[in-house]
Amino acid sequence: MATGGRGAVVAMAAGSTLSSASVTLFLLLVLPRVSQAQTFFFSFRQPETCGHNQYFDISALSCVACGSNQRQDARGTSCVCLPGFQMISNNGGPDITCKKCPEHMKGVTEDGWNCISCPGGLTAEGKCHCPTGHILVERNVNGTLLSQATCELCDESENSFTVANALGNRCVRCEPAFINTSKSCACSEPNILTGGLCLSSTGNFPLRMISTARYGELGISFTSEWFAKYLQSAAAACWVYGNLTSCQALGNMCVMNMNYYDSSTFDACGLFQFIFENTAALGTVHSVSFWRQNLPWLFYGDQLGLAPQILSTTPLPTNFSFKGENQSTKLKFIAASYDVRGNFLKWQTLEGGILQLCPDTETRLNAAYSFGTTYQQSCEIPVPKILTDFPTPTFYDVYLEYTDENQHQYIWAVPVLNLNLQHKKMFVNKDSSSGKWLLTRRIFLVDTLSGRENDLGSQPRLIRVATQISLSIHLVPNTKNGNIYPPLITIAYHDIDIKDPSSQSVKVSFSVTYEMDQGEAHVQTDIALGVLGGLAVLSSLLKTAGWKRRIGSPMIDLQTVAKFLVYYAGDLANVFFIITVGTGLYWLIFFKAQKSVSVLLPVPAQEKRFVTYVGCGFALKALQFLHKLISQITIDIFFIDWERPKGKVLKAVEGEGGVRSATVPVSIWRTYFVANEWNEIQTVRKINPLFQVLTVLFLLEVVGFKNLALMDSSSSLSRSPPSYIAPYSRILRYAVSSALWLVIGLIQIVFFAVFYERFIEDKIRQFVDLCCMSNISVFLLSHRCFGYYIHGRSVHGHADTNMEEMNMNLKREAENLCSQRGLVPNTDGQTFQIAISSQMRQHYDRIHETLTRKNGPARLLSSSGSTFEQSVKAYHTMNKFLGSFIDHVHKEMDYFIKDKLLLERILGMEFMEPMEKSIFYNDEGYSFSSVLYYGNEATLLIYDLMFFCVVDLACQNFILAAFLTYLQQEIFRFIRNAVGQKNLASKTLVDQRFLI
């Protein structure tokens, strides 16, 4: 078949006229076909399930029988000859041939290729066995095989001091510890054999050593197999011989015990301290008093109060800058690493995630060492992965590498704050005062070794994991060149009791924080708060005095105190707003724009005061907003209709069957129309709330302004997806969102005032024009004796007319063929602030009481005819009274018109009290809008801004904050309209059903 196939291929190459059908037939004949009955599964086998005379075929993934006279090797993937059989051939793997050795040569050489006569017995593998202290010799020096193997005794005499090695095939010199102690290769009593060393019992080294592993977090202590085997020997070799590796191993055991030191016990740290204190004559390393010659540097002394000196006395002789030619934003941390036996491994940079247990990309891992970038990383790691990845701990002494002005490289030792360290059975490093801290040097990430009790090859009973590692950088106060104090590594270990590893996991985190002393900033903030708070008190007192004058009450009562507190709440809210926005912008500008580092962002713990100020400001602003809302919906308002009847008509007399003449009734529709327009402008604002929210959200989320709030030095509005994204600063989020909100709001207000109101629509001025065209004035009292008056009396005498006459009137007015609209002849002033006398107010209240009887017009349909007639009569009485008051009919309740003084305008109060006559103040600024949303835009804008920011600070989500801000705007707008309609209907006798 194969040959025919190849011939067909040649034929195809030679002839070019074969049809496609021939090619198809050829492929069907040559190519292998898949039988419909063929399967693609087989039994699953593990190497350990194979029998002793089988091996695991790594290609077929199944167990295969070994050849004759063979058995499975130690790995289980090949075969070896049975004891008493020599190899004849070996082609690798299981392909070997075995032959039985003759009776007089039953032993097999160590390499398995030859048979040999043994001087003694045989091992289980069929090899020659020699007594202890002897070595097996199978060949001559030139490699010639001996007919009979010999067992040679190693010479332990003083001339040689040799002993058989671990393989039993060579004599080697005894350990120096044996020779020095016992002058032989044996460690006989009273000398002590430990850890492969022979120690003299007559030395001054402590013999009662404690091989205890302490797990203070769980309150558990037990004998560690690692400590039991190697603690005494490592300590003895370090003390007696000054062995550097043993000293490092002893230091590692002390670190594994969380640097726990008790002078009454000789555990790992006790032995280390004993050696440290008794080797003072050896001197120090690099003039560091805590670093003894031959020993590792583990402690910064055991005296309390040293930590503040170490951390905040001497700045590092290097500078950091974010921008410019001398940009320096890399923290070059390096570590000297050691294995658990004390061997030096290498110098290595911390980049690449050396201290970060959580896996991530190299770019994101290395971002931890970018100066000024606050770094946070956390994850959950299964215990089986920890046991696999960390069979033995690695220890690190961390340093910060820097270059001086002469370009010489130096390293600065980085201190460690171990939160698990106990001093006199107290966790002193968890204290908030640095004066009680005890700093250390060496750290490790995972210890799965010291928790093994009986066998180093068994599963550990307990493991210890560094669950929290934090690197904190402190800026030198008042620095202008980016000087920092020595960094501090804060580490917390978690002790895990291994019960069911497959179901256990541990949460770990790594962070880098940057701090500076906020004392000066707090003092400046307190000063600003005190000064502005004092001004707020004066402002509130002036507002309260103005309010007292406007209600016509000279007495200071509980209501006055409550009013003062409400005014003060609003002014103090503005103080908090100014301080928080100013503080936020300060940090945003000075942190992001600086070249040489002089300021660092407050850490989350330092932001608490700022967040408190924002919360207080919002609460007080909300109180001010609700106060204004209640004030607006409880005003007194009446529409004065100046229209007079036009002639008389004949009207049927009910019950008499006749007719009589009556005046033509004045239409109420003009009043309803004006009332509707007033109802519509109640919630008109100088900005579009929906546009405001969507624009700010677009700039934050889409354009990327939110990236300015990240706790890094970058001022870019975009971040690449592979790069590390720093956490957000709450202060910067507040600053960015506040700045955008205010800028967009001010742009809208300017656009509204400069363009929209001039060229498109000005609803406030249009309402005044509407009143004039409708021949209706608005009499509005926001306080008992103070309010506003809109003069809407038509200059044409009447407004209830047809279209032709209306157009004629407008034309005459445009051509100045009629008088002006103002209350005062030959003026255009139509809006006034009014301060009415108490007598005027009392007369108004008497009429108004009748007008609002039975709780307003909403119940008119169910009221009796007489009640309705009384209300209508009261309405006409009020209309007539207010019209006559405006026309100066009541000399005992007259008024006069004047301009407000500049100081009165600035302070928002009136100096002159209306005793006998009321006072009308000319008002060209349409200040009656103060009872509408329109006149309180600043309060509304700041309230919405602070609501947005408070929600964002709480949930760190701009989208949710924008949604809730717009939702509350609509809710309060609905409430304002609904309650305003009801109040308007009850005050003016306008049926609420006609208010849209």
Side-chain angles (χ1 to χ4, degrees):
M1 185 72 175
T3 303
R6 283 192 290 269
V9 173
V10 173
M12 289 178 64
S16 60
T17 59
L18 291 177
S19 65
S20 60
S22 300
V23 174
T24 303
L25 178 62
F26 161 76
L27 294 175
L28 292 175
L29 292 174
V30 174
L31 297 181
R33 289 176 293 176
V34 179
S35 172
Q36 293 182 357
Q38 188 171 350
T39 59
F40 297 93
F41 61 89
F42 50 89
S43 61
F44 174 69
R45 298 297 298 271
Q46 293 274 14
E48 55 267 22
T49 62
C50 298
H52 69 278
N53 61 344
Q54 294 178 317
Y55 72 96
F56 185 75
D57 190 329
I58 60 176
S59 176
L61 302 179
S62 60
C63 296
V64 179
C66 292
S68 60
N69 304 321
Q70 300 175 19
R71 66 176 182 180
Q72 186 185 82
D73 69 352
R75 293 186 58 191
T77 58
S78 185
C79 297
V80 295
C81 294
L82 292 172
F85 289 81
Q86 67 178 114
M87 282 191 301
I88 302 301
S89 66
N90 187 346
N91 296 322
D95 188 10
I96 63 173
T97 304
C98 301
K99 177 183 177 182
K100 184 176 179 61
C101 291
E103 289 296 327
H104 65 282
M105 301 176 69
K106 292 185 178 182
V108 181
T109 59
E110 290 291 328
D111 57 16
W113 284 97
N114 300 99
C115 297
I116 194 169
S117 177
C118 295
L122 299 176
T123 65
E125 289 78 18
K127 310 292 176 65
C128 296
H129 172 72
C130 288
T132 304
H134 294 69
I135 63 171
L136 177 67
V137 180
E138 297 176 335
R139 299 178 184 275
N140 288 324
V141 176
N142 61 359
T144 304
L145 182 68
L146 300 177
S147 60
Q148 182 175 3
T150 62
C151 292
E152 299 290 339
L153 178 64
C154 293
D155 185 11
E156 297 184 12
S157 66
E158 187 175 354
N159 295 328
S160 301
F161 286 131
T162 60
V163 69
N165 65 357
L167 297 177
N169 59 5
R170 183 182 177 190
C171 290
V172 295
R173 184 172 176 83
C174 303
E175 289 290 336
F178 286 76
I179 300 174
N180 296 336
T181 302
S182 63
K183 303 301 180 181
S184 68
C185 291
C187 188
S188 57
E189 295 183 353
N191 299 319
I192 301 171
L193 177 63
T194 175
L197 297 177
C198 185
L199 304 178
S200 173
S201 61
T202 60
N204 59 353
F205 193 72
L207 298 179
R208 295 182 179 180
M209 301 181 185
I210 300 177
S211 304
T212 301
R214 304 179 187 276
Y215 292 85
E217 187 181 22
L218 299 177
I220 298 176
S221 297
F222 59 86
T223 299
S224 167
E225 182 66 14
W226 179 261
F227 289 176
K229 279 190 172 184
Y230 300 108
L231 175 60
Q232 190 173 24
S233 59
C238 178
W239 164 247
V240 177
Y241 306 110
N243 184 277
L244 300 181
T245 304
S246 297
C247 291
Q248 296 293 337
L250 176 62
N252 291 341
M253 293 186 214
C254 178
V255 175
M256 293 163 79
N257 249 353
M258 296 291 96
N259 299 89
Y260 179 85
Y261 168 62
D262 187 349
S263 59
S264 62
T265 60
F266 286 101
D267 56 4
C269 291
L271 292 171
F272 179 88
Q273 192 66 22
F274 174 84
I275 298 174
F276 182 88
E277 293 173 353
N278 289 275
T279 55
L282 296 178
T284 60
V285 179
H286 301 303
S287 301
V288 178
S289 60
F290 314 114
W291 195 350
R292 184 76 76 238
Q293 193 73 36
N294 298 338
L295 295 177
W297 181 6
L298 298 186
F299 299 92
Y300 282 87
D302 57 355
Q303 296 179 359
L304 301 179
L306 291 176
Q309 302 177 29
I310 297 168
L311 297 176
S312 57
T313 300
T314 307
L316 262 68
T318 186
N319 303 326
F320 292 92
S321 59
F322 290 156
K323 301 176 178 67
E325 297 180 356
N326 299 323
Q327 180 179 0
S328 176
T329 58
K330 205 66 179 175
L331 291 166
K332 300 178 182 179
F333 286 100
I334 60 173
S337 55
Y338 300 84
D339 66 11
V340 69
R341 298 181 181 272
N343 297 302
F344 175 78
L345 299 178
K346 61 181 176 179
W347 282 105
Q348 58 186 137
T349 176
L350 294 190
E351 291 186 344
I354 299 301
L355 298 184
Q356 293 147 278
L357 291 173
C358 296
D360 209 335
T361 63
E362 186 172 356
T363 301
R364 292 175 181 170
L365 291 173
N366 295 343
Y369 308 109
S370 178
F371 187 82
T373 299
T374 299
Y375 186 89
Q376 291 180 355
Q377 183 196 44
S378 61
C379 64
E380 189 169 355
I381 304 178
V383 168
K385 178 175 175 57
I386 294 177
L387 296 174
T388 302
D389 295 347
F390 299 92
T392 59
T394 300
F395 298 83
Y396 303 95
D397 292 342
V398 182
Y399 299 86
L400 178 61
E401 181 183 355
Y402 66 93
T403 305
D404 67 359
E405 298 177 352
N406 299 321
Q407 301 303 311
H408 294 159
Q409 286 188 329
Y410 296 91
I411 56 176
W412 192 291
V414 178
V416 174
L417 182 68
N418 187 348
L419 299 182
N420 295 70
L421 183 147
Q422 294 186 63
H423 179 71
K424 296 181 180 178
K425 298 183 180 181
M426 295 178 61
F427 293 97
V428 293
N429 288 345
K430 293 183 179 182
D431 197 281
S432 58
S433 173
S434 61
K436 297 182 180 180
W437 294 349
L438 290 177
L439 301 180
T440 57
R441 281 283 296 128
R442 183 165 291 188
I443 63 172
F444 64 89
L445 299 183
V446 178
D447 174 19
T448 61
L449 188 61
S450 64
R452 304 177 191 266
E453 275 191 291
N454 301 316
D455 184 7
L456 293 179
S458 64
Q459 177 177 286
R461 173 183 172 185
L462 294 167
I463 65 173
R464 178 172 280 148
V465 182
T467 53
Q468 296 179 18
I469 301 179
S470 177
L471 181 62
S472 56
I473 314 294
H474 291 259
L475 192 69
V476 175
N478 302 318
T479 181
K480 301 298 180 183
N481 300 316
N483 298 111
I484 64 172
Y485 287 122
L488 174 66
I489 296 177
T490 302
I491 189 167
Y493 292 94
H494 180 55
D495 301 332
I496 304 173
D497 190 359
I498 303 299
K499 295 181 178 179
D500 183 11
S502 60
S503 62
Q504 290 179 281
S505 61
V506 58
K507 293 182 179 180
V508 299
S509 65
F510 181 88
S511 63
V512 181
T513 60
Y514 296 83
E515 302 179 37
M516 66 174 292
D517 185 13
Q518 298 291 331
E520 184 178 354
H522 289 164
V523 170
Q524 294 176 352
T525 302
D526 291 340
I527 293 174
L529 184 60
V531 173
L532 295 179
L535 294 177
V537 172
L538 294 178
S539 175
S540 302
L541 288 174
L542 290 174
K543 290 179 181 178
T544 306
W547 173 78
K548 291 294 290 183
R549 187 175 293 273
R550 289 180 174 182
I551 66 171
S553 172
M555 299 297 295
I556 298 179
D557 51 10
L558 186 60
Q559 184 184 14
T560 305
V561 175
K563 204 70 174 181
F564 167 77
L565 293 178
V566 171
Y567 283 135
Y568 184 61
D571 291 334
L572 193 58
N574 294 333
V575 170
F576 280 121
F577 175 73
I578 293 172
I579 289 177
T580 53
V581 172
T583 302
L585 292 177
Y586 168 83
W587 290 114
L588 176 64
I589 295 172
F590 283 87
F591 177 74
K592 293 289 185 177
Q594 63 185 333
K595 292 184 179 180
S596 294
V597 180
S598 58
V599 295
L600 291 174
L601 292 173
V603 297
Q606 295 172 331
E607 292 179 335
K608 290 182 179 179
R609 176 182 290 200
F610 179 86
V611 174
T612 302
Y613 286 170
V614 174
C616 291
F618 169 71
L620 296 174
K621 182 58 69 172
L623 180 61
Q624 181 190 25
F625 170 69
L626 293 176
H627 171 251
K628 286 185 175 291
L629 189 66
I630 294 172
S631 299
Q632 289 182 7
I633 61 180
T634 55
I635 60 172
D636 288 321
I637 185 172
F638 190 85
F639 299 110
I640 306 172
D641 192 352
W642 297 102
E643 196 74 10
R644 297 294 177 260
K646 295 182 180 180
K648 295 185 178 183
V649 295
L650 295 176
K651 181 180 181 181
V653 180
E654 186 177 353
E656 297 181 1
V659 295
R660 66 178 180 180
S661 63
T663 57
V664 177
V666 176
S667 174
I668 194 63
W669 288 109
R670 289 173 298 98
T671 302
Y672 281 2
F673 186 67
V674 172
N676 262 305
E677 289 302 313
W678 174 262
N679 185 60
E680 287 184 7
I681 66 173
Q682 287 191 91
T683 54
V684 169
R685 295 183 59 175
K686 297 180 181 179
I687 67 171
N688 186 316
L690 180 59
F691 176 81
Q692 176 80 14
V693 170
L694 293 180
T695 304
V696 171
L697 186 61
F698 174 81
L699 293 175
L700 289 170
E701 293 289 344
V702 180
V703 178
F705 275 90
K706 70 175 182 179
N707 291 321
L708 292 178
L710 296 175
M711 298 180 73
D712 58 26
S713 60
S714 175
S715 301
S716 174
L717 298 183
S718 61
R719 297 289 192 276
S720 60
S723 64
Y724 170 74
I725 306 300
Y728 287 99
S729 165
R730 290 184 290 182
I731 292 180
L732 294 189
R733 285 181 74 96
Y734 180 84
V736 172
S737 55
S738 297
L740 290 177
W741 194 281
L742 290 176
V743 169
I744 300 302
L746 292 176
I747 290 175
Q748 283 202 82
I749 292 173
V750 172
F751 172 81
F752 192 82
V754 175
F755 179 79
Y756 189 85
E757 286 187 340
R758 289 190 177 187
F759 302 105
I760 300 179
E761 184 181 29
D762 186 349
K763 291 190 175 183
I764 301 301
R765 288 172 175 79
Q766 286 179 354
F767 178 77
V768 177
D769 292 339
L770 175 65
C771 289
C772 189
M773 296 300 299
S774 303
N775 204 16
I776 290 178
S777 295
V778 180
F779 188 84
L780 190 153
L781 292 176
S782 57
H783 300 74
R784 182 178 180 277
C785 295
F786 181 86
Y788 305 92
Y789 173 67
I790 302 175
H791 187 62
R793 194 169 191 173
S794 175
V795 296
H796 309 291
H798 56 86
D800 197 358
T801 182
N802 56 37
M803 183 184 297
E804 181 180 359
E805 187 173 355
M806 178 69 72
N807 288 334
M808 182 64 67
N809 291 339
L810 292 175
K811 184 177 180 180
R812 292 179 60 214
E813 190 171 354
E815 296 175 354
N816 291 325
L817 299 179
C818 59
S819 60
Q820 294 177 311
R821 294 181 175 182
L823 176 60
V824 179
N826 300 321
T827 64
D828 288 327
Q830 294 180 260
T831 56
F832 301 88
Q833 295 182 11
I834 59 175
I836 62 175
S837 63
S838 297
Q839 185 180 2
M840 164 64 183
R841 178 68 197 205
Q842 292 172 3
H843 196 79
Y844 175 88
D845 288 341
R846 283 196 297 269
I847 302 174
H848 190 267
E849 182 181 358
T850 306
L851 179 65
T852 58
R853 189 172 298 165
K854 296 293 181 180
N855 296 326
R859 299 182 56 183
L860 287 179
L861 295 177
S862 62
S863 302
S864 63
S866 60
T867 303
F868 177 75
E869 290 178 358
Q870 290 178 3
S871 298
V872 172
K873 183 178 180 181
Y875 169 78
H876 288 297
T877 303
M878 178 67 79
N879 192 73
K880 182 178 180 181
F881 166 69
L882 293 179
S884 60
F885 170 74
I886 298 299
D887 287 339
H888 300 277
V889 173
H890 305 280
K891 297 303 179 183
E892 73 282 2
M893 292 183 292
D894 204 358
Y895 67 92
F896 62 92
I897 301 173
K898 67 184 296 287
D899 292 325
K900 260 193 171 183
L901 299 175
L902 178 61
L903 189 58
E904 287 180 314
R905 295 176 183 272
I906 295 174
L907 298 180
M909 62 184 299
E910 298 75 35
F911 296 157
M912 185 179 295
E913 188 173 354
M915 300 299 293
E916 297 180 357
K917 291 186 177 182
S918 301
I919 307 173
F920 278 43
Y921 296 97
N922 289 312
D923 179 24
E924 298 177 356
Y926 298 88
S927 61
F928 69 88
S929 62
S930 63
V931 299
L932 308 172
Y933 268 14
Y934 185 91
N936 295 277
E937 187 58 55
T939 300
L940 295 173
L941 186 69
I942 295 176
Y943 169 74
D944 291 340
L945 163 59
M946 299 199 76
F947 184 93
F948 178 88
C949 292
V950 166
V951 174
D952 177 65
L953 290 178
C955 63
Q956 298 279 293
N957 190 319
F958 287 125
I959 297 177
L960 178 62
F963 171 76
L964 293 181
T965 300
Y966 181 71
L967 180 63
Q968 64 87 22
Q969 287 174 344
E970 291 300 305
I971 291 175
F972 280 114
R973 180 174 174 270
F974 173 79
I975 294 174
R976 173 69 175 82
N977 282 330
V979 181
Q981 281 184 8
K982 186 174 182 180
N983 178 66
L984 181 63
S986 65
K987 301 291 184 181
T988 62
L989 205 65
V990 175
D991 197 323
Q992 190 174 349
R993 292 174 299 175
F994 295 103
L995 296 177
I996 301 174

